[in-house]
Amino acid sequence: MEYTKITEQASLHNDLEQLSTGDLLQKINEEDQKVAQAVTKVIPQIEKLVDATVERFQKGGRLFYIGAGTSGRLGILDASEIPPTFGMPHDRVIGIIAGGDIAIRKAVEFAEDNTFQAWKDLQEFDINSNDVLVGIAASGTTPYVLGGISDAKANGILTAGITNNLGAPLAEQADIPIAINVGPEFVTGSTRMKSGTSQKLALNMISTALMIRIGRVKGNKMVDMQLSNNKLVDRGTRYLVEALNIDYKEAEIALKKYGSVREAIQQLKR
């Protein structure tokens, strides 16, 4: 199917090397302001994905992200923040990047061109029909991602695809297409910029809405966050002060005793 490769279109800005630093920054910011509005247009698709994931999560299912390069790194970033933020086990939201963990920091040549590797990587986690797979690829043509989506669908797994090219193969193949049209990049083809930002926004929305829907937030507070440093202990203590109308010292003692904001609230309200 023919489609317009928006991510490869020429930048709307020319002669970049002749611009001052201030002008460069201003124009990059002008382009960035288009991203949130582009994401607004795909909220119905994101909603569909979140609702379907909640249903599977409540039955013990998991959420997987696959991608290459920037897209893969963004998936791993989102997945890695779920345990500390929401107190979830590390094996419930999982990010996988083409080329393996070494590719998080250093590009692995041609890793994204292997159509069969994603399914092999997913099988290491015993992915099954209770799970959800989200493929992330700005171009929508990455073989690693397309192969993983195809194999997952063949095995009865719900799939979604986040891309920045409308009508791209990823949008056509995934059960739930999320095609975010952010327009041409400031530097032609540099999808680490607006495309990557749009993916980050979408992933934030997916995982945060999912965690709220399954009960990992109370009111607007991260009551299940891991208390892994002094800042978070202080934040948790202040949550207890507000929730229970107790003084800071009492809240701090309770938090250390019960190990989480949620547990402390439950125990002290008895």
Side-chain angles (χ1 to χ4, degrees), residues 253-265:
I253 292 170
L255 185 62
K256 291 179 178 178
K257 178 179 179 180
Y258 295 113
S260 78
V261 175
R262 181 188 296 277
E263 186 65 19
I265 290 174

Side-chain angles (χ1 to χ4, degrees), residues 35 70-71 96 106 109 117 124 147 192 199 216 222 228 269:
V35 177
T70 296
S71 297
I96 300 173
K106 184 178 180 181
E109 291 185 2
Q117 188 60 45
E124 291 185 13
R192 60 182 285 273
Q199 292 168 10
R216 306 303 287 190
M222 297 178 287
S228 55
K269 278 190 171 181

Side-chain angles (χ1 to χ4, degrees), residues 202-252:
L203 293 170
N204 280 353
M205 294 166 75
I206 292 164
S207 59
T208 303
L210 170 63
M211 291 297 114
I212 294 171
R213 287 290 314 281
I214 65 170
R216 306 303 287 190
V217 170
K218 184 175 178 62
N220 57 17
K221 303 297 194 295
M222 297 178 287
V223 292
D224 292 307
M225 63 182 176
Q226 293 178 353
L227 304 173
S228 55
N229 58 50
N230 290 333
K231 177 190 72 176
L232 297 179
V233 171
D234 172 67
R235 180 184 295 164
T237 302
R238 287 184 285 104
Y239 286 176
L240 291 180
V241 169
E242 180 181 333
L244 301 171
N245 194 28
I246 58 179
D247 65 40
Y248 187 93
K249 189 62 179 178
E250 184 181 357
E252 185 177 33

Side-chain angles (χ1 to χ4, degrees), residues 3-262:
Y3 67 97
T4 302
K5 295 183 179 179
I6 299 166
T7 55
E8 295 299 326
Q9 289 182 341
S11 172
L12 302 177
H13 307 268
N14 294 310
D15 302 319
L16 302 185
E17 71 277 15
Q18 297 179 24
L19 297 177
S20 69
T21 300
D23 285 341
L24 285 170
L25 300 178
Q26 181 65 39
K27 291 180 184 297
I28 290 171
N29 182 250
E30 287 172 7
E31 290 298 324
D32 285 343
Q33 291 179 42
K34 301 175 182 179
V35 177
Q37 289 303 312
V39 173
T40 298
K41 296 178 181 178
V42 298
I43 287 178
Q45 290 92 328
I46 296 175
E47 179 184 10
K48 185 177 180 181
L49 172 59
V50 171
D51 285 343
T53 306
V54 168
E55 180 183 347
R56 287 161 175 77
F57 234 71
Q58 290 174 334
K59 298 175 181 177
R62 299 163 294 175
L63 173 61
F64 287 86
Y65 299 134
I66 56 170
T70 296
S71 297
R73 295 181 189 105
L74 288 169
I76 288 172
L77 172 63
D78 192 77
S80 68
E81 291 176 340
I82 299 306
T85 306
F86 300 105
M88 292 295 293
H90 285 82
D91 60 358
R92 296 303 300 278
V93 181
I94 299 167
I96 300 173
I97 187 171
D101 285 355
I102 190 175
I104 297 171
R105 293 181 177 273
K106 184 178 180 181
V108 177
E109 291 185 2
F110 303 109
E112 70 175 55
D113 297 324
N114 189 326
T115 305
F116 308 103
Q117 188 60 45
W119 184 243
K120 294 178 183 178
D121 293 341
L122 290 163
Q123 284 182 304
E124 291 185 13
F125 295 90
D126 296 320
I127 190 170
N128 59 71
S129 58
N130 290 323
D131 301 322
V132 176
L133 175 64
V134 178
I136 314 165
S139 67
T141 60
T142 307
Y144 178 85
V145 175
L146 293 178
I149 292 293
S150 177
D151 288 333
K153 286 185 68 175
N155 284 273
I157 297 163
L158 180 71
T159 64
I162 300 176
T163 179
N164 299 99
N165 281 330
L166 281 64
L170 179 57
E172 294 295 318
Q173 291 183 22
D175 297 310
I176 303 175
I178 302 172
I180 310 170
N181 179 8
V182 297
E185 296 289 358
F186 180 72
V187 175
T188 299
S190 182
T191 53
R192 60 182 285 273
M193 301 186 76
K194 288 194 298 179
S195 295
T197 301
S198 74
Q199 292 168 10
K200 178 68 165 66
L201 292 177
L203 293 170
N204 280 353
M205 294 166 75
I206 292 164
S207 59
T208 303
L210 170 63
M211 291 297 114
I212 294 171
R213 287 290 314 281
I214 65 170
R216 306 303 287 190
V217 170
K218 184 175 178 62
N220 57 17
K221 303 297 194 295
M222 297 178 287
V223 292
D224 292 307
M225 63 182 176
Q226 293 178 353
L227 304 173
S228 55
N229 58 50
N230 290 333
K231 177 190 72 176
L232 297 179
V233 171
D234 172 67
R235 180 184 295 164
T237 302
R238 287 184 285 104
Y239 286 176
L240 291 180
V241 169
E242 180 181 333
L244 301 171
N245 194 28
I246 58 179
D247 65 40
Y248 187 93
K249 189 62 179 178
E250 184 181 357
E252 185 177 33
I253 292 170
L255 185 62
K256 291 179 178 178
K257 178 179 179 180
Y258 295 113
S260 78
V261 175
R262 181 188 296 277

